[in-house]
Amino acid sequence: MGTPDDTPDTDAETESSNDRGDDASYHRQLGIGDAAFDGLQPHLQQRNYEGLEYRHVPDYRRGVERGTVLIDGEVVRGFPKVPRTLVLETGIPTQFEEHERIAVEEKLNGYNVRIARLDGEQLAFSRSGMVCPFTTRVLPRLVDLSELFEKHPNALVCGEMIGPENPYTAHEYPGVDSIAFRAFDWRDRESGEPLPVQERRERYEAFGVPQTPLFEIVDVDDAAASVQEIIRELDAEDREGVILKSLDGNTLLKYTTSASTNSDLAYAFSLPFDYGQAFMFRRLLRVGFQTVEWDEDDEVARERAHEVGESILCSMREAIQTVEDGDTLGERHTVRASDETIDVLFEHLRGQGLDIDIEADYHEDGDRVVTFCKRTPSSNDTIRNYLDGHIVRE
């Protein structure tokens, strides 16, 4: 929720001459032909990060992952789309039919970043491929990747930024007071090939890089029952879910908790005309299939239905009352960093067309701490119109 990829992108009118000159090498690095690259080019978006021109793929394209970046003659691969199963018992063996054992790791609730070192500079890329100036600056405070990139210059470090002081997706985690990084994958920057799970975990441990928790490595035939038990425990702790991975790292599958689904619905319907309608059906499907697979009785199903309805209705009711009272809806976040990092974050957000209201701005222990609100015009304006008597034509 509220990730850097929720912000609108704009098409560039021009391309840098350097990138055009590198097009011949780009299609070879991407492993696609001239014709396929020509078909990709209209979908590339042009960006500039502190004078460095680059292009990125903001949406999934056949043969090229969303978030793939073409920058100064180099390729930074996007992270592959992770499929979801609605039914563990049948979905796991279907997805992993060619594998005997799988790893079960925690899926954390934050925002996805990929870190690469290019021409000696460490850059953090969002899921859609934009350089995030905030993450690029704040990450060295959280984890030292210098030795890792010295020994493995073509590494693509993939991870999640988590914690309550987070400009995109804030969530509480034990032991995380502000913001933290957790690695969940290691890939080749150009090819996108992953390291096997156990090798990846051993490498990150050797370099002192914190990782997402590994729950177990389990036989595929036993995985459904095992994962269901893990999900129940995560659900009780209001955590997000799990990622299942083949041991070679190539095949992925995700499954999330009902607590995560209810949280998503509550968030979406707190801004009902920005997220609510698009989010609702997919998440209701997850709830419906889960209650059947888990063989819940009528009483448990009604309790689940009450929780889902409360997430939707109470959040939407609060949103309408907020606008009725003359206040503004929006996504509120708190961030803690240097003055310069905070400044470039707001410049980045406003550059994506977001309206930002600063609600608190002070210094504490040498850092600048800012609470801000990303205003959401659609929900604010639409709710106000309906409150003022606008007629709904159905």
Side-chain angles (χ1 to χ4, degrees):
M1 313 300 297
T3 69
D5 304 314
D6 291 330
T7 58
D9 290 321
T10 57
D11 291 325
E13 296 179 358
T14 61
E15 296 178 355
S16 73
S17 58
N18 285 341
D19 271 351
R20 287 196 297 269
D22 290 323
D23 284 351
S25 66
Y26 284 145
H27 78 75
R28 287 193 295 269
Q29 292 178 72
L30 290 170
I32 60 178
D34 290 342
F37 186 77
D38 288 343
L40 175 67
Q41 292 214 54
H43 304 287
L44 296 173
Q45 292 188 346
Q46 183 82 15
R47 298 283 175 183
N48 182 298
Y49 172 71
E50 299 185 352
L52 180 61
E53 299 282 345
Y54 67 96
R55 288 176 288 169
H56 67 110
V57 184
D59 300 303
Y60 289 101
R61 298 291 164 186
R62 186 174 182 180
V64 180
E65 300 88 352
R66 178 192 182 200
T68 295
V69 181
L70 313 180
I71 181 168
D72 200 23
E74 303 286 349
V75 167
V76 178
R77 281 282 184 174
F79 197 80
K81 191 172 185 178
V82 180
R84 175 188 301 275
T85 183
L86 297 179
V87 181
L88 291 168
E89 186 175 0
T90 52
I92 292 175
T94 298
Q95 180 71 348
F96 298 102
E97 59 181 349
E98 298 180 359
H99 302 275
E100 294 182 359
R101 309 193 78 203
I102 57 175
V104 183
E105 296 182 312
E106 185 169 3
K107 184 180 189 301
L108 298 178
N109 191 354
Y111 68 93
N112 179 305
V113 296
R114 287 161 294 126
I115 304 98
R117 192 170 73 173
L118 299 165
D119 196 24
E121 184 177 8
Q122 181 178 297
L123 299 174
F125 297 90
S126 74
R127 184 185 294 274
S128 71
M130 289 186 288
V131 177
C132 176
F134 174 83
T135 311
T136 294
R137 285 167 170 77
V138 81
L139 192 65
R141 298 173 49 158
L142 309 177
V143 59
D144 184 358
L145 299 176
S146 55
E147 185 180 357
L148 184 155
F149 283 121
E150 283 296 323
K151 293 188 176 181
H152 303 280
N154 215 41
L156 184 62
V157 175
C158 307
E160 199 84 358
M161 299 291 287
I162 62 170
E165 294 183 337
N166 181 319
Y168 304 115
T169 308
H171 190 79
E172 298 284 345
Y173 276 100
V176 181
D177 296 327
S178 177
I179 191 168
F181 174 78
R182 297 290 184 267
F184 59 68
D185 212 328
W186 176 318
R187 293 180 175 252
D188 182 270
R189 175 176 55 75
E190 183 179 314
S191 71
E193 286 298 312
L195 284 181
V197 171
Q198 290 170 306
E199 182 180 355
R200 178 249 298 169
R201 296 195 69 89
E202 289 169 2
R203 280 200 192 179
Y204 276 136
E205 185 176 356
F207 288 113
V209 178
Q211 304 180 64
T212 54
L214 170 67
F215 293 116
E216 62 181 359
I217 293 176
V218 63
D219 291 343
V220 170
D221 292 342
D222 300 326
S226 183
V227 169
Q228 186 176 130
E229 187 60 34
I230 292 170
I231 287 292
R232 290 186 188 278
E233 294 174 4
L234 292 175
D235 207 10
E237 299 174 7
D238 290 329
R239 294 169 86 108
E240 185 168 11
V242 296
I243 297 285
L244 314 180
K245 301 180 180 181
S246 60
L247 298 188
D248 63 10
N250 282 299
T251 305
L252 310 175
L253 190 67
K254 62 186 175 184
Y255 189 84
T256 49
T257 63
S258 58
S260 172
T261 298
N262 290 339
S263 176
D264 283 356
L265 288 169
Y267 175 86
F269 280 92
S270 71
L271 303 167
F273 295 98
D274 290 274
Y275 298 113
Q277 297 171 65
F279 269 73
M280 182 173 65
F281 184 66
R282 294 195 303 271
R283 283 158 178 79
L284 292 179
L285 278 178
R286 298 174 199 172
V287 175
F289 277 90
Q290 190 175 82
T291 188
V292 171
E293 182 179 18
W294 291 17
D295 196 25
E296 294 176 344
D297 60 28
D298 289 347
E299 182 179 352
V300 173
R302 288 193 187 95
E303 181 180 347
R304 185 190 285 265
H306 176 85
E307 292 172 352
V308 170
E310 188 175 81
S311 298
I312 295 172
L313 182 58
C314 291
S315 297
M316 187 158 46
R317 176 174 179 264
E318 184 177 345
I320 295 168
Q321 290 176 330
T322 296
V323 176
E324 186 177 44
D325 292 341
D327 295 324
T328 301
L329 296 176
E331 303 174 44
R332 283 174 172 79
H333 301 273
T334 297
V335 290
R336 179 187 303 265
S338 69
D339 285 315
E340 192 263 348
T341 298
I342 299 293
D343 286 340
V344 298
L345 170 65
F346 290 140
E347 181 181 354
H348 175 68
L349 294 175
R350 289 176 174 128
Q352 307 311 308
L354 295 177
D355 292 325
I356 304 296
D357 288 333
I358 306 297
E359 299 183 346
D361 190 346
Y362 60 94
H363 286 81
E364 181 179 83
D365 298 330
D367 279 329
R368 184 179 173 191
V369 183
V370 181
T371 298
F372 64 97
C373 176
K374 301 175 192 171
R375 283 184 285 165
T376 53
S378 181
S379 288
N380 280 285
D381 293 346
T382 305
I383 291 173
R384 171 50 58 195
N385 285 340
Y386 288 148
L387 287 170
D388 289 344
H390 179 79
I391 302 301
V392 180
R393 303 191 183 279
E394 299 176 335

